[in-house]
Amino acid sequence: MKKRIFLFFIIAVLLFDLPVFAAEPAQIPGNESSTGGSEEDGTYIPADAPTLTANSAILMDMDTGDILYEKNPHKRSEPASTTKLMTALLVVDHLSFKDKLTVSDGALDGISYDAVTIGLSPGETMSVEDLLFAMLLPSANDAANVLAMGVSNTVGSFVKEMNSTAESLGCTETHFANANGLPDPEHYTTVYDMALIARAAYGKSRIRDIICQESHWIPATNLVGERELWTTNQMLYSITDYYYEPCTGGKTGYTESAGNTMVAFAEKDGRRLVSVCFGCPTAGDRYTDSATLLEFGFTAYHKIAPLSDFKLSEAEETENPVLENYYARLPHSLPEFTLDTSLILYTRTSVSADDIEKTVTYNVNKSQTEVGNVTLSYKGQTLATVPIVSDQTHMAEDLSTLNLNKRNNSSITTTPAPTRSEIFRDVLKESMPRFVICLTLAIGLCLGTILVVQHRKKKRVTVHRYFGDGPVPARDGPEVMEEIRKQKAQREYLATIEDESELPKLRVPERLKTQEHEDTGSDGYEDTGAASPRKNPARKKEEPADEYEDTGIPEPRKTAATRQKDVTKVKDTDDTQEDTGSASRRKKTARDSEDPYVDEG
């Protein structure tokens, strides 16, 4: 169970976004202490730094977090009333200046008779703004307790929030036990941690507006009349010996065990510094040490921008493998290499931006965003490394534009680099019409092929129904089929006639047996008006009418021998007829050449 709780706590700490107001102490280039200065117990004291009476002190740039001076920065000490900066930081985050707070009986607990107060009484009502002035200018301890109870109802709950906030600011050696800084064995911090707290408090405009004031008037309350307040920071009074013009505020503190403590803020030449001095012997020493330390930071150090005029294209680089091996061969503009030129370095006043050595190196890995770096150094000491970033925005825009121009044959325009989803959507959008057309043609071709195959199959089945297996006729239709059927019937009939065994027996008319032909005309035959015998369908030439009488009774079929005898007898009879003219002879000869017998069956 304990392991689970511990794991949950670790995850919560990792997920919680903690604000960070200060960086780790930075080395200052050009500082002579790097070779001959004192570095006892992690202390960073420049060789030309002034001598201080404080047991521990620190000088920090509030904008960059650079440490310009430190003496015993991590020594545990009592902060005394400088604690009220942390109290004010929480108050402005939770309460409004116009809020009214009433002094409760417990608000005055723990305050000794000799502690600084403004004489608040139980039941008295006062605004948050007036209570903040009372706490930060004359350092009233009773006002600090009232404000603490106004935020968290009890001083104990407020102290827990103080410790939690200090941890979030990066303080690792701080523990608060009260809201006003009165002596307590469990109430301690370091000058480094207090510099972080002071830096965060100075970031609140409402706190800056209070600590820079020399005095303040509190109007009459429901119990007490007007109160006049004066600050304990003599660095703001121009009539004192401790006046320091760049000073913009601060907070003093004193207890017998802690000695004199001081947090001072100053602004000059666009720079903002904070100094923290603990354990000063006298009140005058805390002002002197603070002013001396602040002035040392303004005069001995300055901020430079070593890359403000630096141009990467003009750097001494004999060969650029990134460009030659990869980018230069592609049909588009080269990527732009960018460098953060806003880097600010604290250096000694004697060191300029031109004294900083700059070394440019490139990497050959084209897949990385950082393709190199610029190393800044001074006298062989590396100060900072700034990465060279490959900006491929314009290269991607050119590639996109080139592809677009190939399709649209338009002029090059600058467009944002497309994402993968946008590229896929564009390709799909452009290919869809072609795909639909190809699909439609394919479907139409398949349907046409199917219809042709079905038609041919149906036609083949129809032909087989009439002819069986055989070649497919060139034409089709009811009339053609009827004509073909008739032709087939005629062929079958002719085949039957050509078969001698199947020829029908012809009947010889009786009058050929009993009487002779009479010459009634040019052809010798009498026109009786009867229909001529039916002719063979195969014969196309019209024949003269048959002289024999059609009785309508079919005669029995004759054999070949009988039919030959009948033909011989007819010829003998015809020879007895008189030739009356050429036309009769031609007709008779024509009749004799053909079969005189008709199949009447």
Side-chain angles (χ1 to χ4, degrees):
M1 186 63 183
K2 292 182 179 180
K3 293 183 178 180
R4 293 182 180 179
I5 295 175
F6 178 78
L7 181 60
F8 177 80
F9 175 77
I10 294 298
I11 295 174
V13 170
L14 292 177
L15 293 177
F16 186 74
D17 189 12
L18 300 178
V20 178
F21 294 91
E24 291 296 327
Q27 292 184 349
I28 310 303
N31 182 12
E32 298 177 0
S33 65
S34 59
T35 56
S38 174
E39 297 182 2
E40 299 177 358
D41 193 22
T43 299
Y44 179 72
I45 302 177
D48 57 344
T51 303
L52 304 180
T53 61
N55 293 330
S56 59
I58 193 170
L59 180 63
M60 178 184 291
D61 187 288
M62 289 187 289
D63 296 320
T64 65
D66 285 293
I67 297 175
L68 310 181
Y69 174 95
E70 59 182 6
K71 176 183 179 182
N72 301 322
H74 302 290
K75 180 181 180 180
R76 182 179 295 183
S77 306
E78 293 184 33
S81 288
T82 58
T83 303
K84 295 180 175 66
L85 289 174
M86 172 60 80
T87 303
L89 180 62
L90 292 177
V91 169
V92 297
D93 286 340
H94 292 81
L95 300 177
S96 173
F97 272 10
K98 297 181 180 180
D99 292 341
K100 298 291 185 178
L101 299 180
T102 301
V103 181
S104 62
D105 294 335
L108 304 179
D109 295 343
I111 299 177
S112 58
Y113 69 94
D114 57 346
V116 179
T117 65
I118 59 171
L120 293 174
S121 302
E124 185 177 1
T125 301
M126 187 177 293
S127 67
V128 171
E129 182 180 10
D130 291 335
L131 288 170
L132 281 171
F133 270 101
M135 180 182 69
L136 295 176
L137 294 188
S139 193
N141 294 287
D142 52 354
N145 284 356
V146 173
L147 290 171
M149 297 181 69
V151 173
S152 302
N153 295 325
T154 63
V155 176
S157 299
F158 183 80
V159 169
K160 291 181 180 179
E161 291 194 30
M162 292 175 65
N163 291 322
S164 177
T165 304
E167 184 178 355
S168 67
L169 294 176
C171 302
T172 59
E173 300 171 303
T174 298
H175 184 271
F176 295 109
N178 53 62
N180 46 35
L182 292 175
D184 190 294
E186 297 298 324
H187 191 88
Y188 55 85
T189 186
T190 63
V191 292
Y192 176 75
D193 287 356
M194 181 53 66
L196 299 181
I197 297 171
R199 182 186 178 192
Y202 197 77
K204 305 294 182 179
S205 60
R206 291 188 291 180
I207 296 178
R208 290 200 306 270
D209 294 340
I210 294 175
I211 60 177
C212 67
Q213 301 296 326
E214 298 180 13
S215 61
H216 178 73
W217 287 85
I218 297 178
T221 64
N222 57 335
L223 299 180
V224 181
E226 293 183 351
R227 293 181 174 92
E228 183 180 2
L229 306 178
W230 293 89
T231 182
T232 58
N233 182 10
Q234 296 189 28
M235 297 175 68
L236 296 177
Y237 298 124
S238 58
I239 60 175
T240 64
D241 296 336
Y242 306 110
Y243 176 70
Y244 183 64
E245 184 178 1
C247 182
T248 57
K251 185 68 192 76
T252 62
Y254 171 79
T255 62
E256 186 177 354
S257 57
N260 290 275
T261 61
M262 180 73 183
V263 174
F265 303 98
E267 296 184 11
K268 184 179 180 181
D269 299 331
R271 296 164 57 193
R272 304 191 305 174
L273 304 180
V274 57
S275 64
V276 181
C277 297
F278 284 173
C280 295
T282 64
D285 291 338
R286 66 186 179 189
Y287 301 130
T288 302
D289 286 354
S290 297
T292 302
L293 197 56
L294 290 170
E295 188 62 23
F296 171 74
F298 286 127
T299 56
Y301 294 94
H302 68 154
K303 292 190 294 186
I304 61 173
L307 298 177
S308 59
D309 299 330
F310 179 76
K311 295 182 180 180
L312 192 61
S313 59
E314 298 178 359
E316 296 181 0
E317 183 68 22
T318 58
E319 183 179 1
N320 190 338
V322 178
L323 296 179
E324 293 182 359
N325 296 340
Y326 177 62
Y327 296 109
R329 300 181 182 180
L330 299 181
H332 53 71
S333 62
L334 298 177
E336 296 182 0
F337 292 161
T338 59
L339 189 69
D340 184 10
T341 59
S342 63
L343 176 68
I344 299 298
L345 287 179
Y346 254 107
T347 66
R348 300 303 294 266
T349 308
S350 59
V351 179
S352 64
D354 296 335
D355 297 331
I356 305 299
E357 299 177 2
K358 309 169 186 68
T359 305
V360 180
T361 56
Y362 287 98
N363 301 325
V364 297
N365 191 349
K366 60 181 181 295
S367 62
Q368 295 180 354
T369 304
E370 297 182 3
V371 297
N373 55 69
V374 176
T375 303
L376 304 178
S377 59
Y378 179 78
K379 293 184 178 181
Q381 179 184 1
T382 300
L383 306 178
T385 300
V386 182
I388 301 174
V389 180
S390 173
D391 185 5
Q392 302 182 11
T393 303
H394 296 289
M395 182 179 69
E397 292 175 356
D398 291 344
L399 287 176
S400 177
T401 304
L402 289 174
N403 294 333
L404 184 63
N405 291 337
K406 290 181 180 178
R407 295 189 296 266
N408 301 333
N409 193 22
S410 61
S411 59
I412 298 179
T413 57
T414 302
T415 57
T419 61
R420 292 184 179 179
S421 59
E422 292 175 348
I423 293 175
F424 177 76
R425 184 169 59 253
D426 293 341
V427 172
L428 185 63
K429 182 178 179 180
E430 294 175 3
S431 303
M432 185 58 66
R434 300 178 183 177
F435 175 75
V436 172
I437 293 174
C438 294
L439 181 62
T440 304
L441 293 177
I443 293 175
L445 182 61
C446 292
L447 291 177
T449 303
I450 293 173
L451 292 176
V452 171
V453 172
Q454 291 294 333
H455 177 72
R456 290 184 178 180
K457 182 177 180 181
K458 182 178 180 181
K459 190 173 182 180
R460 213 176 279 118
V461 170
T462 304
V463 173
H464 178 72
R465 186 182 302 137
Y466 289 101
F467 303 102
D469 297 334
V472 178
R475 297 182 301 170
D476 199 354
E479 298 81 2
V480 176
M481 293 294 101
E482 182 64 22
E483 182 181 353
I484 293 174
R485 187 186 64 77
K486 290 180 179 181
Q487 292 178 3
K488 181 179 179 182
Q490 290 178 1
R491 286 196 300 272
E492 292 177 353
Y493 177 74
L494 291 177
T496 304
I497 293 177
E498 292 176 358
D499 189 358
E500 295 181 355
S501 61
E502 297 296 330
L503 289 175
K505 294 180 181 181
L506 300 179
R507 179 178 61 85
V508 180
E510 292 295 335
R511 62 183 176 178
L512 292 179
K513 298 179 182 181
T514 58
Q515 63 182 7
E516 297 179 355
H517 291 280
E518 297 182 0
D519 188 5
T520 59
S522 61
D523 55 0
Y525 293 96
E526 181 180 2
D527 186 6
T528 61
S532 61
R534 188 171 55 183
K535 300 179 181 180
N536 194 326
R539 297 177 182 177
K540 296 181 180 180
K541 185 177 180 182
E542 184 180 358
E543 297 180 356
D546 194 356
E547 63 178 330
Y548 301 104
E549 180 182 1
D550 185 6
T551 60
I553 303 173
E555 295 183 359
R557 289 189 175 183
K558 297 181 181 181
T559 63
T562 306
R563 194 164 51 246
Q564 184 65 29
K565 290 179 181 182
D566 293 339
V567 172
T568 303
K569 185 177 179 178
V570 171
K571 287 183 178 182
D572 293 341
T573 306
D574 290 339
D575 290 340
T576 62
Q577 301 291 329
E578 183 180 358
D579 187 4
T580 61
S582 60
S584 299
R585 286 194 300 271
R586 284 194 300 270
K587 291 180 181 181
K588 187 176 182 179
T589 303
R591 285 196 306 268
D592 293 343
S593 64
E594 295 181 3
D595 190 0
Y597 303 100
V598 178
D599 185 5
E600 298 178 356

